[in-house]
Amino acid sequence: MGSAPIEDYALLGDLHTAALLGRDGSIDWLCLPRFDSPACFAALLHDESAGYWRLAPAAGGPATRRGYRGDTLIVDSEWDTDGGTVRITDFMPPRGKVADVVRIVEGVSGRVQMRMDLAIRFDYGSVVPWVRRSDGGLIAVAGPDTVCLTSPVTMRGENLTTVAEFEVSAGEKVPFVLTHVASHLLPDAARSEATRALGKTISFWQNWIDQCSYRGQWSDAVRRAVITLKALTYAPTGGIVAAATTSLPECLGGVRNWDYRYCWLRDATFALQALLGTGYVAEAKAWREWLVRAVAGDPAKLQIMYGLDGTRRLPEQTLDWLSGYEGSAPVRVGNGAAGQFQLDVWGEVLDGLNLALDSGLECEDTAWDIQRALLDFLEGNWDRPDASLWEVRGPQRHFVHSKVMAWAGVDRAVHAVQAHGREGPVDAWRALAETIHADVCEHGFDAERGTFTQYYGSAGLDSALLLIPRVGFLPWDDPRVVGTVDAVQRELSSDGFLRRYETDDSDSDGDVDGLPGTEGAFLVCTFWLADALHGIGRRDEARALFERLLGLRNDVGLLSEEYDTAARRQIGNTPQAFSMVGLVNTARGLSGEATRTRNH
């Protein structure tokens, strides 16, 4: 069978890992026990032989209707069939001792023939487990993993797949509970009881969303976005993964396929703005604390991303036995960009920690010591070429956004001294900020065209240039800002949505990112455009663009990384934290609730 569209998938999660559930009742992606663990269902990146779990009417087909149950991460899917209507409720209870996926089949009317197909394939589809029967279900074991399935229905083996056929009538409920434990533990130790787990899960999400302070327009969209952001948070450490998946392509059939199941430092400020701006101080504090722990150490060895627990080594490898989503190979795990020099990250970290300080989050003295060390590194390295925030795999260059963020990091240090009484050589920092500022304005601005450029000496543009006024480098009404917004909108637009940059950098000695092919419109960049249009006074246009962006969400309110304007499809890893954070922050800005990182 072919791959389902990316927008067909809803997210389930337990704050340790996540699953993707299709409209057809199939879970095609699940990594256990963590976001970054090997998948036991990887049909998303190959076919059913890589593992899946389908539970649906025997007649098959997509659900007639589905949706999250209120402000929760519980999905109700209903099928209208010739025999009647059936509902399946899917969820993952917030993690206790073990990971559970719970599926409850409920007859709504009539009598419906049902079928379950379960193919567990550990290690991204490469390992078929040894399966044995147990009381009330089965146990599958291979290497470090054990998965147990408990249900009252009779199951049988069929072509290395576990199947069950049963009927459900109105008012009848049939539960299925899939539990993962380490293979050296007793598998019967802590399985969830379905009905009790459902009640606890409803209570958890209701209590959590009650803390949301956002009351502006687009409240439903913002609430779903912050729920998704919470679902992408690894609860033990507070780290927020960029997405729940790896290798969903930025171009269908192409090679721009990356593993996003890690925590990027540059997401810090944007995520903190979204969390603090919607009332989630505890989550913001946990993310800030993860950030401080992750960056501790030699500032010269700061990485752009880390593992969920701050792990530094994320070696990239390809899984050649997987064909990739719609043939988009290679499938990668790990991320080689972790070793790149990306100058902007030093500024992003300093900006994020400054935002936390301005917001009143208590901060240990060690956090300021770390910032001082980061500033020392910036002082000696701000003028180096780098790989940019887009992690290009072409030549390093003097990217304008990177220099702007270096300026922002130094500027925030001056602010910390002046506004919060921190100790430091403020005169030297102020002079350094002025030097960087002058350098960018001299070498990164094209006076003839009236716009900043992607990198020094380039004629190309970059959507990240829209952040120049947002971080306070220049005011919104500066003609250079207005000219840049106009140029970026004009030259990087694809049906009104923005690409990050031109992948064919014809004014230089080759492609700017060193990769073949193209990519879709980058959704967070288009949210930045809406922010920028609002900032320069084109507010009706900003709101219209934001409404168009909301229209790209799937039926359960999720956004992936990019959008293919020709195919009219979501592409890239999903759901993408950067996209959901962009939605929250833009909604706050257009509603008048946003707080900039600095006001100049």
Side-chain angles (χ1 to χ4, degrees):
M1 61 177 289
S3 303
I6 291 171
E7 55 266 30
D8 271 12
Y9 289 100
L11 179 74
L12 310 176
D14 66 356
L15 310 185
H16 286 238
T17 191
L20 292 185
L21 169 69
R23 294 176 188 266
D24 62 351
S26 182
I27 296 176
D28 291 342
W29 181 254
L30 174 62
C31 299
L32 290 170
R34 306 191 336 174
F35 291 103
D36 57 352
S37 299
C40 65
F41 301 145
L44 179 71
L45 298 179
H46 190 64
D47 58 29
E48 291 181 350
S49 66
Y52 72 106
W53 184 17
R54 182 177 296 110
L55 182 59
T64 308
R65 54 195 162 271
R66 68 168 181 175
Y68 284 111
R69 184 178 298 188
D71 290 322
T72 74
L73 213 62
I74 300 164
V75 177
D76 288 319
S77 305
E78 291 187 355
W79 283 259
D80 294 335
T81 73
D82 292 342
T85 298
V86 64
R87 177 187 304 120
I88 300 180
T89 299
D90 291 290
F91 63 98
M92 296 183 71
R95 183 74 62 91
K97 294 181 179 179
V98 296
D100 293 306
V101 181
V102 180
R103 315 189 72 176
I104 302 173
V105 182
E106 180 180 359
V108 177
S109 66
R111 191 165 185 84
V112 181
Q113 294 285 336
M114 302 294 295
R115 181 179 171 96
M116 184 210 73
D117 297 86
L118 173 67
I120 301 169
R121 300 290 185 266
F122 294 120
D123 195 21
Y124 302 103
S126 67
V127 177
V128 179
W130 184 266
V131 179
R132 62 181 172 87
R133 295 185 183 276
S134 68
D135 292 339
L138 61 84
I139 297 175
V141 182
D145 299 295
T146 294
V147 166
C148 313
L149 178 63
T150 304
S151 178
V153 304
T154 301
M155 306 177 206
R156 69 178 190 277
E158 187 177 286
N159 298 322
L160 297 180
T161 299
T162 300
V163 302
E165 295 167 334
F166 59 100
E167 291 184 338
V168 62
S169 57
E172 185 179 1
K173 294 183 179 181
V174 181
F176 294 80
V177 179
L178 185 142
T179 302
H180 174 272
V181 296
S183 60
H184 64 278
L185 300 178
L186 293 175
D188 297 326
R191 302 190 200 186
S192 291
E193 193 280 319
T195 302
R196 184 178 300 113
L198 177 60
K200 289 182 177 180
T201 305
I202 291 171
S203 295
F204 172 86
W205 286 108
Q206 287 180 341
N207 291 336
W208 189 82
I209 200 63
D210 282 347
Q211 302 171 52
C212 183
S213 62
Y214 181 83
R215 297 294 183 268
Q217 191 179 356
W218 310 294
S219 179
D220 289 345
V222 169
R223 290 159 75 90
R224 177 51 51 192
V226 295
I227 289 170
T228 306
L229 190 59
K230 176 68 170 178
L232 294 173
T233 301
Y234 183 61
T237 65
I240 301 172
V241 296
T245 58
T246 179
S247 298
L248 290 181
E250 297 173 7
C251 176
L252 295 172
V255 301
R256 297 169 182 263
N257 318 317
W258 316 108
D259 193 346
Y260 277 13
R261 298 171 300 157
Y262 306 113
C263 306
W264 266 253
L265 298 188
R266 73 171 46 85
D267 297 4
T269 302
F270 299 100
L272 282 168
Q273 287 175 334
L275 291 168
L276 291 168
T278 52
Y280 290 102
V281 176
E283 282 75 11
K285 185 176 181 180
W287 176 228
R288 193 279 315 276
E289 291 174 351
W290 177 91
L291 184 68
V292 170
R293 292 193 303 270
V295 305
D298 184 352
K301 295 182 178 180
L302 186 71
Q303 295 187 179
I304 64 163
M305 71 180 86
Y306 295 84
L308 306 174
D309 53 4
T311 297
R312 290 173 174 262
R313 296 192 183 276
L314 307 174
E316 184 174 298
Q317 58 182 308
T318 60
L319 308 183
D320 295 332
W321 62 89
L322 296 177
S323 60
Y325 180 85
E326 294 196 5
S328 304
V331 171
R332 296 180 174 94
V333 296
N335 200 311
Q340 288 185 342
F341 174 61
Q342 298 177 22
L343 177 67
D344 70 291
V345 170
W346 277 261
E348 297 285 5
V349 171
L350 291 163
D351 190 22
L353 293 175
N354 177 78
L355 175 62
L357 190 62
D358 280 350
S359 301
L361 292 182
E362 295 182 5
C363 190
E364 298 179 358
D365 290 339
T366 54
W368 179 244
D369 293 337
I370 290 171
Q371 292 175 74
R372 290 282 302 267
L374 294 175
L375 286 158
D376 289 343
F377 179 84
L378 267 184
E379 184 175 9
N381 292 273
W382 70 267
D383 55 354
R384 287 173 53 188
D386 75 313
S388 93
L389 83 162
W390 303 130
E391 302 170 4
V392 300
R393 302 202 176 194
Q396 293 192 347
R397 296 180 168 94
H398 293 283
F399 287 95
V400 170
H401 173 74
S402 299
K403 307 298 188 192
V404 168
M405 290 313 303
W407 169 88
V410 180
D411 174 80
R412 303 316 186 249
V414 173
H415 174 73
V417 171
Q418 293 177 335
H420 299 287
R422 294 294 190 264
E423 294 185 359
V426 66
D427 290 338
W429 288 340
R430 189 181 291 111
L432 176 59
E434 291 173 355
T435 297
I436 299 173
H437 197 283
D439 191 76
V440 172
C441 292
E442 179 181 354
H443 300 292
F445 183 74
D446 185 335
E448 291 186 7
R449 296 163 62 210
T451 180
F452 284 93
T453 61
Q454 185 177 27
Y455 56 88
Y456 290 3
S458 169
L461 300 177
D462 188 326
S463 290
L465 299 170
L466 297 172
L467 300 177
I468 285 174
R470 181 170 178 154
V471 300
F473 186 85
L474 289 172
W476 288 98
D477 59 358
D478 190 292
R480 291 168 291 182
V481 168
V482 176
T484 300
V485 174
D486 287 340
V488 168
Q489 184 181 31
R490 180 177 61 253
E491 298 186 24
L492 295 182
S493 176
S494 176
D495 192 26
F497 305 113
L498 288 191
R499 301 182 302 278
R500 294 185 293 179
Y501 50 86
E502 291 291 358
T503 53
D504 180 12
D505 187 27
S506 57
D507 69 298
S508 75
D509 56 0
D511 292 343
V512 67
D513 59 17
L515 294 166
T518 59
E519 62 180 25
F522 209 78
L523 294 178
V524 75
C525 295
T526 312
F527 283 115
W528 294 345
L529 177 59
D531 293 337
L533 292 171
H534 179 80
I536 64 174
R538 291 156 58 180
R539 300 189 173 186
D540 290 343
E541 189 178 349
R543 295 173 71 87
L545 179 58
F546 183 64
E547 292 284 358
R548 287 194 69 199
L549 282 162
L550 293 182
L552 301 185
R553 295 174 300 155
N554 72 355
D555 60 315
V556 290
L558 303 182
L559 288 170
S560 66
E561 178 186 27
E562 299 185 12
Y563 185 71
D564 186 325
T565 57
R568 303 288 178 185
R569 292 179 56 179
Q570 292 189 20
I571 54 176
N573 285 304
T574 196
Q576 179 81 359
F578 225 178
S579 299
M580 306 308 288
V581 164
L583 187 159
V584 173
N585 288 335
T586 301
R588 293 177 55 239
L590 300 186
S591 300
E593 296 190 12
T595 302
R596 303 297 177 191
T597 55
R598 289 274 276 116
N599 293 313
H600 286 252

